[in-house]
């Protein structure tokens, strides 16, 4: 069988970027949570906030470290696997991607060291400032990377000249038509991730009756925040979808599983899309609802997939189902946020065991939703790399053979399996040690050193062999 | 539209970034390469501790170099990376393993030996892959219409294997002289012992490369032997540094060997740049062919000029904070 370098490169890119994305999406939310805790500690002087902050900074350090390690791989992917694309778009993508790295650099260089190791070495105000700068830095990082990605979906501000895109308007290119939707949706997704992870871990501590006062407060904060951002995500997601309808109607058609352009289109709850036959099996839907959502009119006309030739159609089933996973989890998140509100009276939200037990697995829900969302976005634009201008087959590295691509794909999978196992295992050890670990650590602070994310945490890797 | 030559400025920035990377990550990779040879576990602890506070910062120069290339000289990025596809993968995998080993070795007890292997293996593979890049750069790359047209294993030739081994030896030398500077007692004594051997290995590779290069790169031969003779000052200085390393090790000096090794690297590097100038993807693509648009170069330069001073100050500060010898016990456990 002939191995297709385009297909394998796609899988490889999807794999490494998915792996990378789960770390920043958490650190972006967590950094803001830490800055918030530091603000509370600064203003109230209540040591409980400092205690919480210290614990979550340790978690932050590990996750950030994994984000950096996997990010280094990303910055070489465009050259190794998509060199034609990199060459054609370098005038825009080059500076914008570099700005992400430069921002991360700056943040790390100046403020991360202080956040991780400087608590007793700098004045409280400076420390607070550093925590804010780290949070802002993560946002600036995602600003650039999402701008680059959005430009590929809705290219603007550039003109073709000698086979390369020349930037004619930086502002039009950076703030392209889908940018703000994507930035808002991703920002909220990061906050949802941060909130649900903190809520899940706090709930787990509460179930064990550990550090009840601190964890109760952390949980309460998360639930208040969720009450705002979970519904907001639904709203922003809807706007995002309407924007996509305008620019990439085929993608929306795939999300809706709608094959023929028509009016009065149902919102499908279940279906088995069949690309071969260009139709769905086992449809269950609510009549007219898709038309209503997308066109605000039950009779509104919704584009169909078969409007474009087969070789320009994305794989419908993946897009269709990923979209349902994301939206379904989004609804579940809203449900938890509302339940949290209803359980407020009498503090039942931190005492009802069923609620806490439900929250614990919700800690992974946002990661799944985020990946599902990216799958919708990225697979829904197949076969385009730069929408309407360059296909994946045109963008791939011409010298790359399928075998070599497969070699590196398997290689990355193996490497990441080790990294991920070690990292996640260590995180679980951190959670087990909990907030209490802090007491044993006070003495260590002097031997600390900057620039080493993981060393901000002192918990040994293995559970036995306790001399660490 | 183009009031000044940004391409030249960017060439300077990238060249600076590369040598910063080579010198700084070089010694901590070197420490990893020497890891299996170290006399005992305690020495390994000391050696790792001596680079632990700084390695991560050292590596960021690589990321900056990669991103800077895409922005300023996209053609270098889009030709070199496909040409070195497997090498780049091995380098990244090596760097990841050793990065993770840094973080987990100190926290591990039973699994410590595994992290030792990851650290040493990762460092050696990464160093070798970087040496191969240098070799491929000297050899030249098969290009047609601005894209790489060779095969996936083209990068592996006897010559690039030699440069790969050469860089492993060179980084090991940086590592051993760094260890002399940062440690005492048995560890230091061991580092003193191995340094002359490493120096010998490096010089042998240099010699071989110098004899070999003219036959694979006539343009370089031309440059060295017929036109500008002042450039001979570079290899002369490199050899002077080599002599300095040898002497200062015999005299038992602590800082000089490391500084002289860095000097040797700098002069060799300049020598390499001189033989290739102005080609960035030898044999035919020049700086100017590979450059991105003027506006794009400017756009990024503004941000970089803002950030670079902070990075340099912070780097200097970190080295200042962790100056002096590392001692057993001021580690992490
Ligand atoms: C700046 C660019 C950029 C960014 C921020 C992302 N992607 Fe992407 N993605 C690409 C640029 C890209 C790409 C280079 O354009 C790919 C490679 C092949 C392709 O068609 O698009 C791609 C493909 C791609 C595919 C494969 C689609 C297919 O070919 O079937 C998946 C599943 C993802 N990505 C997932 C993600 C995830 C989970 C991200 C989370 C952060 C993400 N992408 C961010
Ligand atoms: C093609 C896609 C991407 C590339 C090439 C890329 C590249 C990188 C690199 C090189 C780093 C490490 C920088 C350092 O040395 O500190 C990094 C870290 C980071 N990236 Fe990405 N990245 C990509 C996708 C994303 C996405 C989609 C997001 C989020 C929306 C993101 C957000 C971040 C953040 C916040 C960091 C800082 C480290 C952390 O918080 O874990 N990146 N990225
Ligand atoms: C609650 C209802 C939600 C709706 C209606 C919605 C809608 C959408 C739509 C239409 C897209 C595709 C955009 C495109 O065409 O490129 C998308 C992408 C995405 N969604 Fe959602 N979403 C919802 C919930 C969530 C949740 C809960 C998360 C994560 C916590 C999430 C994370 C993402 C991500 C990461 C992307 C890809 C990035 C992007 O294009 O913005 N979404 N969403």
């Amino acid at each position: 069988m002939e191995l297709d370098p385009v297909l394998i490169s796609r899988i490889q890119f999807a794999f490494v970027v998915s792996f990378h994305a789960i770390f920043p999406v958490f650190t972006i939310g967590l950094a803001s949570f830490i800055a918030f805790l530091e603000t509370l500690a600064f203003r109230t002087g209540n040591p409980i906030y400092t205690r919480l902050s210290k614990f979550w900074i340790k978690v932050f350090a590990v996750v950030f470290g994994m984000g950096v390690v996997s990010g280094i791989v990303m910055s070489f992917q465009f050259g190794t696997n998509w060199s034609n694309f990199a060459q054609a778009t370098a005038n825009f993508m080059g500076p914008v991607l570099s700005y992400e790295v430069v921002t991360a650099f700056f943040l790390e260089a100046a403020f991360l060291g202080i956040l991780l190791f400087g608590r007793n070495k700098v004045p409280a105000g400076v420390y607070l400032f550093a925590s804010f700068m780290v949070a802002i830095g993560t946002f600036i990082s995602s600003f650039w990377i999402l701008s680059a990605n959005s430009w590929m979906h809705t290219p603007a501000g550039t003109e073709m000249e000698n086979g390369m895109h020349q930037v004619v308007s930086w502002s039009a290119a950076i703030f392209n038509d889908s940018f703000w939707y994507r930035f808002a949706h991703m920002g909220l997704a990061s906050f949802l991730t941060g909130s649900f992870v903190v809520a899940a871990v706090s709930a787990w501590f509460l179930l064990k009756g550990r550090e009840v006062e601190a964890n109760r407060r952390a949980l309460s904060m998360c639930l208040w925040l969720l009450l705002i951002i979970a519904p907001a995500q639904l709203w922003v997601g809807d706007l995002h979808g309407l924007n996509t309808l305008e620019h990439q109607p085929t993608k929306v058609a795939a999300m809706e599983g709608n094959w023929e352009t028509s009016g009065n289109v149902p919102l499908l709850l279940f279906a088995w899309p069949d690309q071969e036959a260009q139709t769905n099996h086992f449809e269950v839907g609510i009549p007219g609802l898709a038309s209503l959502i997308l066109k605000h009119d039950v009779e509104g006309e919704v584009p169909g997939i078969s409007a474009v030739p087969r070789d320009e159609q994305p794989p419908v089933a993946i897009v269709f189902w990923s979209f349902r996973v994301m939206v379904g989890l989004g609804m579940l998140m809203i449900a938890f946020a509302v339940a949290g509100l209803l359980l407020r009276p009498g503090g039942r939200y931190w005492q009802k065991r069923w609620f806490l037990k439900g929250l614990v697995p919700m800690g992974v829900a946002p990661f799944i939703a985020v990946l599902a969302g990216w799958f919708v976005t990225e697979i829904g634009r197949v076969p385009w790399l730069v929408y309407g201008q360059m296909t994946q087959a045109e963008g791939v590295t011409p010298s790359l053979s399928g075998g070599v691509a497969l070699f590196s794909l398997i290689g990355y999978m193996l490497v990441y399996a080790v990294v991920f196992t070690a990292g996640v295992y260590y995180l679980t050890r951190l959670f087990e040690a909990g907030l209490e670990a802090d007491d044993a650590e006070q003495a260590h602070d002097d031997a600390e050193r900057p620039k080493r994310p993981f060393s901000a945490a002192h918990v040994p890797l293995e559970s036995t062999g306790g001399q660490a | 539209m183009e009031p000044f030559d940004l391409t030249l400025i960017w060439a300077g920035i990238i060249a600076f970034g590369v040598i910063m990377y080579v010198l700084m990550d070089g010694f901590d990779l070197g420490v990893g390469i020497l890891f299996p040879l170290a006399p005992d576990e305690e020495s390994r602890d000391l050696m790792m501790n001596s680079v632990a506070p700084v390695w991560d910062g050292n590596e960021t120069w690589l990321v900056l170099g990669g991103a800077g290339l895409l922005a300023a000289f996209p053609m270098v990025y889009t030709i070199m990376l496909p040409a070195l596809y497997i090498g780049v993968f091995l380098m990244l995998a090596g760097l990841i393993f050793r990065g993770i080993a840094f973080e987990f070795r100190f926290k591990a007890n039973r699994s410590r030996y595994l992290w030792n292997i990851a650290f040493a293996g990762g460092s050696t593979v990464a160093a070798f892959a970087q040496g191969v890049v240098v070799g491929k750069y000297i050899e030249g790359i098969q290009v047609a219409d601005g894209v790489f047209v060779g095969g996936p294993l083209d990068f592996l030739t006897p010559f690039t294997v030699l440069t790969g081994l050469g860089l492993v030896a060179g980084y090991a030398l940086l590592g051993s002289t760094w260890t002399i500077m940062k440690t005492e007692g048995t560890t230091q004594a061991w580092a003193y012992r191995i340094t002359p051997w490493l120096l010998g290995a490096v010089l042998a590779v240099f010699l071989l490369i110098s004899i070999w290069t003219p036959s694979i790169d006539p343009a370089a031969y031309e440059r060295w032997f017929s036109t500008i003779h002042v450039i001979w000052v570079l290899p002369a200085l490199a050899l002077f540094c080599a002599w300095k390393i040898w002497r200062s090790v015999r005299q038992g000096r602590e800082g000089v060997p490391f500084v002289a090794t860095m000097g040797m690297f700098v002069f060799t590097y300049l020598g390499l740049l001189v033989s290739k100038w102005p080609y960035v993807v030898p044999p035919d693509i020049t700086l100017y062919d590979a450059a991105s648009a003027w506006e794009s170069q400017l756009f990024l330069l503004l941000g970089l000029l803002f950030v670079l001073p902070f990075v340099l100050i912070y780097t200097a500060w970190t080295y200042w904070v962790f100056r002096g010898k590392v001692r057993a016990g001021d580690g992490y456990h």
Side-chain angles (χ1 to χ4, degrees), chain A residues 219-235:
Chain A
L219 179 58
S220 164
M221 278 187 246
C222 290
L223 288 175
W224 282 125
L225 183 64
L226 286 174
L227 203 55
I228 305 166
I229 58 177
Q233 184 72 321
L234 176 63
W235 179 60

Side-chain angles (χ1 to χ4, degrees), chain B residues 86 116 121 135 139 162 202 216 241 259 314:
Chain B
I86 294 178
N116 280 347
E139 272 191 341
L162 178 69
V202 171
I216 46 179
C241 288
V259 176
Y314 185 79

Side-chain angles (χ1 to χ4, degrees), chain A residues 9-11 13-15 17-21 78 82 85 93 97 145-146 148-150 152 186 315 370-371 374-375 378-379 381-385 392:
Chain A
S9 293
R10 281 163 58 189
I11 299 173
F13 196 92
F15 176 73
V17 79
S18 301
F19 184 86
H20 171 64
F78 291 107
W82 304 102
F85 160 75
M93 294 291 274
L97 290 175
I145 196 76
L146 291 176
N149 180 266
S150 298
M152 294 164 66
M186 190 69 186
V370 162
L371 292 184
W374 277 109
F375 279 37
E378 302 286 331
I379 299 177
R381 85 170 130 144
V382 169
W384 299 108
L385 204 50
Q392 295 168 333

